[in-house]
Amino acid sequence: MSDLEVILIIVLVIGVIISNLAVLKYSAKFKMSQFGHKSPKVSPKEQGRDSSDDDTLPKA
């Protein structure tokens, strides 16, 4: 192999590595909850609200 081919292969490999790192950095901003990481259910009292403030319950 000539020196030009070796340099071209090295540049291509480094370019692929850098582009993959850039994609990982960009995609780390997104939340992917559909893959099994569900947020825990929080009761109204744990959220700092009293259950009497809940508008979803029918008033008696």
Side-chain angles (χ1 to χ4, degrees):
M1 287 171 67
S2 69
D3 290 340
L4 180 64
E5 291 173 339
V6 171
I7 292 172
L8 183 63
I9 290 172
I10 292 172
V11 168
L12 286 173
V13 168
I14 291 173
V16 168
I17 292 171
I18 290 173
S19 66
N20 283 339
L21 289 174
V23 168
L24 282 174
K25 184 177 178 182
Y26 177 75
S27 65
K29 298 176 186 177
F30 299 109
K31 300 214 183 273
M32 297 187 185
S33 61
Q34 70 267 23
F35 293 115
H37 296 291
K38 296 181 180 178
S39 60
K41 299 283 184 184
V42 180
S43 70
K45 288 187 179 183
E46 291 175 353
Q47 290 178 349
R49 293 175 40 192
D50 191 17
S51 62
S52 62
D53 293 339
D54 195 4
D55 293 334
T56 59
L57 297 175
K59 302 289 181 187

